[in-house]
Amino acid sequence: MNSIAQNIANFLKDYEPFNYLTHEELLLVSSSIKVINLEKNKALFKIDDKLHDSFYVVASGVVHLSFVADAEETLLNKCYPGDIFGLRPFFAKNNYMMTAKAREDCIIYAVPINVFKPFVSLNSSVLDFLLESFATNTKNSFDKENRNNLITDSIYNEHTSGEIQYFQSLSYNKTPLKIAVNSIAKDVAQLMTDNLSNSAIVIENGLPVGIVTDTDFRSKIANARFPLNSTINKIMSSPVITVPENVSVAEAQLLLLKYNVSHLCVTVDGTDKAEIKGVISEHDLVVAQSNNPGVLIKETKRAITPKELKQVREKLTELIQTSIAKNIPLPHVYNIAGEIIFAINKRAVELSILDLGSPPARFCWLSIGSQGRKEQLLLTDQDSFLIFEDVAEEKYKEVKDYFLKLAKRTTAILEKVGYSYCPYNHMASNMFLCKSLTDWIKQYNSWIKTPGEKSNEISSIFFDYEMVFGEQKLEDTITEVIFSNSKNNLFFDYLGNDALRKSAPLNFFKKFTVEEEGENKGKFDIKTKALMPLIDGARLFALSLKLRGINNTYLRFKQLAISDPKYSEIYLNCAEAFLTLSKFRTLEGLKNDSPGDFINLEELSKADKEKLKNALSPMRDLEELIKDRFQLTQFS
C-alpha cells in the first residue's frame, strides 16, 4: 500500500462516516481516491452541472457552497478540513443544486462512489449517517457547537423541512411553445396537441403578452363562447405573470396562489420586457413541493375561525425560527412571512364579511407600519386603515357604521391570532381611520401641505401601506395624491427632522445609550434608536425620489442605490445594517416571546456587541445625507 493512500487513510479515520470502516476497508477506499488541487476562486462543480462519479472531502483550505435565488448568490455553507460535500450522486439523478468554489487554495479528496458504495450497503452506520445528513440539512458548518463534517448539498427532498424549499430551484419546461398574438385558436390547439403541451406563451415583438392553456380552450372554446377561428388574443389570459430564472419552489407557489393562475412565464430578469426562458406549471410544483409556505397559504384560505388562523401564525413562527437558524437570508424570510401574514389579514377581513353580509360600498383594507412594509417577523401590534368609496350624503352614516363594524370584527380576529391592538389606536376600527375616499384625500393633503400642526401631526406609518383586500383603484388614488404632492419642501422638512429626532444609539464615548429607568433599565432600545432611523430615512428618500410600490426598507435602500448612484455606497451600507439590526431584534423576540424591542447587552458575546455597534455606523452617513439633501430648517 503506497504512502499517499496511508496518509489519506490516517486523515479520514477521524471523521464520520469513514470512522465506521475497518482499517483495511479504509485503506482500500484511500488507494482509489484522487487528490485535487483546487485553486482559489475555482469551482469544483456549479449549479446544474452533471453529477460527478465522486463525492468530496476537504483535506485543507475552505470551500464555499452557494446557491442562486432571485439572481442573487447566497452562501449556504462553508466546508472546512474533514467536511464532506457533493453527495448528491448517491441519492439523486438530477444535476447539482449548488456551486462548490474554493475560498482559498484547497486540497480536495475525490472519493469514487462506485468504490465507496459497497460499504454503504454493508454498513448500516454509514448508510444511516449519509441518509440522515442528506435528508435533514441540519448539520450546518456555521454551527460550531454542533459541528459535523458532512455538508449536505441537498436543497430539497421529501424529508426536508418547508423553509429549505425557498432555495430549491424548479425544474420546468425550458422550451415552451411560443405563438404569435394573431394566431388562430384552431391552429394553436393543434400545435399544442402535436407538441404534447398544455400551454403556449403568446408573444408580440418577441415578448410575452399572454398565455393560453388547456383550461382556456375548455372554458372559452368548448362551451362555444368563442368560435374556433378566433384569434388567440381573444381567449388568452393576459397579462402573463412573469418570474426570473432560478425562481424557487416556494416563491412560485406563492405567486400561483396570489394571482390564482396555473402557469408562470420565466424570463431573463423576471419582467415581461425580457427574453422568455421557460414556463412553470402547477404540475411542476406538484412534483417538487412538499410542506412549504404555500401550504400555509392554503390553510389560511380554508380557515373559518380565528383559532385556525392562529395555528397558521404559530407554524409561521416556527418557520421563521428555523429559517433564521439555518442562515437563510433575511430578505427571503421577510418575503415568505410577508405573503403569509398578508393572507392572514385578508382572511380576517373575509371572515368578517361572512359574518356581516356584503359591504354596502366598495372599499379597501390597508395594512400599515411593519405589516405594510412586510417586515413583521414577530408578533407585534396590528396597524391598519380603511377607505370606502364616496357615497350619497344620506347613506354616509349607514355605510360608515357597516365598515366600523367590519373593522372591529377584523381587528378582534387579528387580536385572537396574536397581533395585539395598537396602543396608539392606529387601526381601521378607529372611527378617524375608517372613512371615505374624499375624506382620506383631504387627510393626506393636509398631512403633506401643512405638516407639524398640533391637531394634524403626521404618523409616518401611513406612508407605508399595502392593500390586503378590496378595490385597487382606491389605493391607487391615495398613492397618486402622495406622489403628486411630493415636491412639497415643507413636507420633506418635517419628515427629515422627524427621522433625525431619535436619540443617538451611541454616546460620546461610543458606548450604547441604554434605558436609564423602567422595566427595561440597562437595555438597548434597538427599535427606536437603531431600526426606526433607517426605516424613516429609507421612506424619506423613497418618497422624494418617487419610488412607487417599494415599501420594504431593505429593498428601498437597494433601489435607492440604483436610482441615486452618487450615494449608492451609503444606501447599500444602510441596507446591510438594517438586515443585521433586524436579525438581532428578531432573535431577541423569538428567544423571549416578545416584540424584541429591547436588547439585553449583557447576554451578547463580545463579538456580537461589536457586530451590533458596527451596524450602527452607516446611520451617521445617512443622517448627514438627509441634512445635506433636504436643507432642514423650519422643524429643526
Side-chain angles (χ1 to χ4, degrees):
M1 191 63 66
N2 64 53
S3 59
I4 294 176
Q6 185 67 57
N7 290 337
I8 292 173
N10 288 337
F11 175 84
L12 293 177
K13 67 181 174 61
D14 294 328
Y15 301 101
E16 286 187 288
F18 303 104
N19 61 340
Y20 298 124
L21 305 183
T22 66
H23 182 65
E24 290 74 23
E25 290 170 339
L26 190 52
L27 281 173
L28 180 62
V29 171
S30 299
S31 64
S32 64
I33 284 175
K34 179 183 176 183
V35 179
I36 299 172
N37 290 301
L38 193 65
E39 295 177 6
K40 182 179 179 179
N41 295 326
K42 294 290 184 183
L44 186 60
F45 54 78
K46 296 181 180 179
I47 294 169
D48 216 27
D49 279 358
K50 289 186 177 178
L51 299 178
H52 297 179
D53 57 8
S54 300
F55 66 95
Y56 301 100
V57 184
V58 179
S60 68
V62 181
V63 173
H64 281 187
L65 296 181
S66 60
F67 182 78
V68 177
D70 292 344
E72 185 173 323
E73 188 171 20
T74 300
L75 175 66
L76 290 184
N77 269 310
K78 298 178 182 179
C79 306
Y80 298 94
D83 286 342
I84 299 172
F85 64 97
L87 277 170
R88 176 157 292 277
F90 264 112
F91 305 102
K93 294 180 180 178
N94 54 324
N95 297 346
Y96 285 110
M97 301 181 76
M98 287 187 184
T99 292
K101 186 183 291 185
R103 179 67 181 84
E104 55 192 62
D105 289 346
C106 298
I107 295 175
I108 309 293
Y109 293 153
V111 186
I113 286 173
N114 64 346
V115 174
F116 194 75
K117 215 165 193 176
F119 303 112
V120 176
S121 55
L122 292 171
N123 192 317
S124 60
S125 296
V126 174
L127 177 61
D128 289 346
F129 174 82
L130 296 182
L131 281 173
E132 180 193 351
S133 300
F134 187 83
T136 61
N137 198 28
T138 57
K139 295 174 171 60
N140 186 330
S141 70
F142 286 138
D143 184 356
K144 299 303 179 189
E145 292 181 8
N146 301 300
R147 177 84 182 280
N148 188 289
N149 64 302
L150 188 140
I151 308 300
T152 177
D153 62 348
S154 168
I155 296 296
Y156 163 85
N157 68 26
E158 66 269 26
H159 303 294
T160 319
S161 53
E163 71 281 356
I164 295 304
Q165 266 199 287
Y166 197 91
F167 291 108
Q168 181 205 357
S169 280
L170 266 167
S171 295
Y172 55 83
N173 179 6
K174 294 180 180 174
T175 55
L177 194 58
K178 291 182 270 191
I179 54 171
V181 71
N182 57 356
S183 301
I184 303 302
K186 181 182 178 182
D187 298 336
V188 173
Q190 188 61 52
L191 200 59
M192 288 170 63
T193 302
D194 293 343
N195 285 273
L196 302 176
S197 177
N198 64 3
S199 68
I201 302 290
V202 183
I203 61 171
E204 188 171 26
N205 299 322
L207 300 176
V209 293
I211 188 169
V212 63
T213 66
D214 286 347
T215 304
D216 292 315
F217 278 102
R218 287 197 303 271
S219 64
K220 297 171 185 175
I221 298 289
N223 66 6
R225 282 175 59 195
F226 295 92
L228 268 171
N229 60 359
S230 299
T231 52
I232 205 67
N233 64 325
K234 296 286 198 308
I235 69 163
M236 71 180 184
S237 299
S238 180
V240 63
I241 306 302
T242 54
V243 294
E245 296 180 89
N246 295 313
V247 66
S248 66
V249 171
E251 291 168 300
Q253 178 69 29
L254 289 168
L255 288 169
L256 290 181
L257 288 164
K258 185 172 184 177
Y259 294 104
N260 195 28
V261 294
S262 60
H263 291 74
L264 302 169
C265 177
V266 182
T267 64
V268 171
D269 64 2
T271 72
D272 58 5
K273 306 297 182 191
E275 179 188 354
I276 299 167
K277 301 298 288 185
V279 63
I280 295 170
S281 69
E282 282 184 312
H283 177 72
D284 297 325
L285 289 169
V286 170
V287 170
Q289 79 172 15
S290 175
N291 181 26
N292 66 30
V295 174
L296 296 184
I297 298 279
K298 286 182 179 178
E299 287 182 15
T300 302
K301 288 186 171 184
R302 291 196 296 262
I304 56 173
T305 65
K307 183 179 179 181
E308 289 173 319
L309 289 178
K310 184 176 183 180
Q311 288 169 348
V312 172
R313 187 58 183 83
E314 287 169 349
K315 290 178 184 177
L316 174 59
T317 298
E318 291 173 13
L319 191 152
I320 292 167
Q321 206 155 14
T322 50
S323 297
I324 289 176
K326 291 176 188 293
N327 291 296
I328 292 178
L330 213 55
H332 299 330
V333 183
Y334 273 139
N335 191 24
I336 290 289
E339 290 299 340
I340 295 170
I341 293 168
F342 173 96
I344 290 172
N345 277 270
K346 183 178 182 182
R347 189 58 181 158
V349 177
E350 289 171 346
L351 291 177
S352 299
I353 292 173
L354 286 172
D355 282 345
L356 289 174
S358 298
R362 286 176 293 185
F363 77 102
C364 68
W365 180 285
L366 298 104
S367 289
I368 52 177
S370 59
Q371 276 188 1
R373 295 190 302 272
K374 288 192 172 177
E375 294 168 2
Q376 192 182 42
L377 299 183
L378 301 166
L379 276 168
T380 52
D381 60 301
Q382 53 178 295
D383 300 288
S384 59
F385 69 99
L386 186 149
I387 308 170
F388 57 85
E389 66 179 343
D390 293 325
V391 295
E393 189 176 346
E394 63 271 16
K395 288 186 176 181
Y396 184 89
K397 185 179 184 305
E398 175 193 342
V399 170
K400 179 158 183 170
D401 285 347
Y402 170 91
F403 285 118
L404 276 173
K405 287 178 184 175
L406 175 76
K408 285 174 181 175
R409 283 177 185 255
T410 302
T411 53
I413 289 172
L414 292 174
E415 197 271 339
K416 289 175 182 175
V417 170
Y419 298 107
S420 59
Y421 291 122
C422 174
Y424 305 106
N425 206 15
H426 289 152
M427 298 181 294
S429 51
N430 176 349
M431 64 179 295
F432 297 108
L433 303 183
C434 174
K435 49 194 178 185
S436 70
L437 178 61
T438 293
D439 287 342
W440 273 115
I441 291 172
K442 288 177 182 175
Q443 178 67 81
Y444 273 92
N445 276 326
S446 178
W447 275 335
I448 295 169
K449 292 176 180 177
T450 56
E453 294 181 3
K454 286 288 183 185
S455 60
N456 183 41
E457 190 173 338
I458 300 173
S459 182
S460 53
I461 63 169
F462 286 93
F463 293 86
D464 298 333
Y465 52 76
E466 179 185 43
M467 191 187 81
V468 296
F469 188 94
E471 184 69 31
Q472 183 66 52
K473 289 180 181 178
L474 297 174
E475 182 200 20
D476 291 344
T477 302
I478 293 299
T479 302
E480 194 54 46
V481 168
I482 292 170
F483 284 101
S484 64
N485 284 311
S486 62
K487 291 182 180 178
N488 188 304
N489 291 331
L490 199 62
F491 174 54
F492 291 117
D493 194 351
Y494 182 90
L495 288 184
N497 278 287
D498 190 50
L500 301 179
R501 200 166 284 133
K502 315 294 188 295
S503 59
L506 300 175
N507 63 23
F508 179 78
F509 300 103
K510 305 300 179 187
K511 301 287 185 183
F512 291 100
T513 53
V514 296
E515 300 300 292
E516 295 182 358
E517 54 188 26
E519 60 179 317
N520 295 302
K521 184 178 180 180
K523 293 182 179 180
F524 176 64
D525 186 348
I526 194 169
K527 178 185 176 182
T528 304
K529 293 178 180 174
L531 285 166
M532 287 311 300
L534 291 172
I535 292 167
D536 291 343
R539 180 193 304 111
L540 172 65
F541 282 102
L543 288 171
S544 70
L545 293 175
K546 297 189 175 183
L547 300 185
R548 298 185 184 221
I550 305 175
N551 289 342
N552 180 271
T553 302
Y554 172 77
L555 294 180
R556 275 173 168 169
F557 278 127
K558 296 282 275 190
Q559 186 58 48
L560 285 166
I562 297 169
S563 303
D564 193 14
K566 184 178 178 182
Y567 302 104
S568 61
E569 187 177 355
I570 294 175
Y571 296 132
L572 292 174
N573 288 341
C574 287
E576 291 307 313
F578 178 76
L579 292 184
T580 300
L581 295 167
S582 295
K583 190 168 183 177
F584 270 106
R585 182 190 182 190
T586 303
L587 289 171
E588 181 74 20
L590 291 171
K591 181 174 68 176
N592 298 308
D593 193 22
S594 71
D597 294 346
F598 295 91
I599 303 290
N600 188 340
L601 298 171
E602 292 179 2
E603 293 179 359
L604 296 183
S605 66
K606 186 177 179 181
D608 278 343
K609 283 181 186 175
E610 199 60 33
K611 189 176 181 182
L612 179 57
K613 195 173 287 186
N614 289 339
L616 301 173
S617 59
M619 291 167 56
R620 291 192 295 272
D621 293 330
L622 184 66
E623 182 178 327
E624 292 305 314
L625 186 57
I626 290 172
K627 289 176 180 176
D628 180 63
R629 177 69 63 84
F630 298 101
Q631 300 295 308
L632 306 179
T633 54
Q634 180 163 336
F635 298 99
S636 300

